[in-house]
Amino acid sequence: MSAIHAARKRQPPETCDANDPKAGRALSTRLDHRNPLVFDTHELGRRPGALQRISRTVDAPADLGVAGVVGVPEGAPVEIELRLESVMEGVLVTGTARASAEGECVRCLEPVELELDADFQEMFSYPDSDDRGRVKAATDDEDDEDESMTPLEDGMFDLEPVLRDAVVLALPMQPVCREDCAGLCSDCGINLNDNPDHHHDATDIRWAALQELAGSLGSDEKDNMSDAATGVDEKQEK
């Protein structure tokens, strides 16, 4: 399981009791089964080893990717394939998300479109229950041990946080339109991919002022300046 998943901390679901000092940690909202990124595990059951495969195409949520760099446009189709496996601790979810991402080449600033395959795996834990099936409040020690695991809520889990992490890891941080992109001219900004022979003549800064002056003079005066410049070069060589 990737480090970005392990670093993500989530609070386990708890019963909300006004007299419980830990009641403030209870979830304030419940998962909506109508959300296409919310999946139900009731069909899987709690028998270890049970498997369930799910394929679903959903609309990409907003800001799915790296803001201002590259990402999946909001509303674009995202194909999701999941493998749900029941284990002792909960449900192990392994999956792949496929979509088309859009961005901007960091070298030539042209639009970039690339096909994205993002693999992920996440453990969704069963909440602890007492002998009456009611969810028990977790102790502080248990919170510390399970902070890297996402609890199931009423047998459901929200895939969106996992999907976001997977997409960010799969996207290039510096997208390019092609590996050999030549970029833009540093002097005038022209696209060097369209003009591979483009260049600027390098001018010796010592003669730049004289060249500007020569451009405003007549032919006779230019000849005199050229002779003077030649004389200066000969003296420097001696």
Side-chain angles (χ1 to χ4, degrees):
M1 196 172 297
S2 64
I4 192 169
H5 294 163
R8 192 169 63 241
K9 295 184 178 181
R10 305 178 179 88
Q11 295 294 347
E14 302 175 1
T15 54
C16 186
D17 184 351
N19 298 320
D20 184 354
K22 296 182 181 179
R25 296 188 302 174
L27 293 174
S28 58
T29 59
R30 304 193 72 81
L31 296 182
D32 185 354
H33 68 277
R34 295 168 297 182
N35 185 334
L37 286 172
V38 170
F39 293 81
D40 195 329
T41 67
H42 285 103
E43 240 180 81
L44 184 67
R46 285 202 176 194
R47 182 170 56 86
L51 296 175
Q52 183 182 6
R53 297 185 184 275
I54 301 175
S55 295
R56 184 179 296 179
T57 299
V58 303
D59 293 338
D63 303 320
L64 184 59
V66 183
V69 181
V70 62
V72 181
E74 182 177 2
V78 180
E79 297 178 4
I80 297 176
E81 294 182 3
L82 297 181
R83 178 179 184 270
L84 279 55
E85 180 180 1
S86 178
V87 295
M88 292 295 296
E89 298 85 359
V91 177
L92 179 63
V93 177
T94 305
T96 300
R98 297 183 177 88
S100 294
E102 297 177 0
E104 187 178 80
C105 177
V106 295
R107 298 178 188 170
C108 68
L109 306 183
E110 290 295 321
V112 173
E113 184 172 342
L114 53 90
E115 295 304 312
L116 170 71
D117 274 38
D119 297 324
F120 52 85
Q121 187 175 73
E122 182 83 355
M123 172 69 77
F124 293 90
S125 61
Y126 294 128
D128 292 329
S129 302
D130 59 19
D131 56 358
R132 296 184 180 181
R134 295 176 300 188
V135 177
K136 296 189 300 183
T139 65
D140 290 338
D141 290 341
E142 289 173 339
D143 286 345
D144 294 337
E145 292 176 1
D146 297 337
E147 61 185 9
S148 64
M149 298 177 65
T150 309
L152 290 167
E153 183 178 331
D154 294 333
M156 298 184 293
F157 64 87
D158 185 1
L159 191 66
E160 183 172 339
V162 181
L163 178 63
R164 288 187 180 278
D165 289 346
V167 168
V168 169
L169 290 174
L171 287 171
M173 294 297 101
Q174 294 187 319
V176 292
C177 58
R178 65 190 198 205
E179 291 299 325
D180 60 346
C181 175
L184 303 177
C185 174
S186 58
D187 291 324
C188 64
I190 194 171
N191 192 330
L192 298 178
N193 296 310
D194 300 330
N195 300 272
D197 298 327
H198 173 79
H199 68 280
H200 294 272
D201 294 329
T203 302
D204 191 329
I205 59 174
R206 294 174 298 178
W207 302 111
L210 289 176
Q211 288 181 347
E212 290 178 4
L213 179 60
S216 62
L217 299 177
S219 58
D220 293 339
E221 293 173 313
K222 288 182 180 179
D223 292 338
N224 293 335
M225 288 187 62
S226 179
D227 292 339
T230 303
V232 172
D233 288 339
E234 290 176 351
K235 289 180 180 180
Q236 288 180 346
E237 292 177 358
K238 292 179 181 180

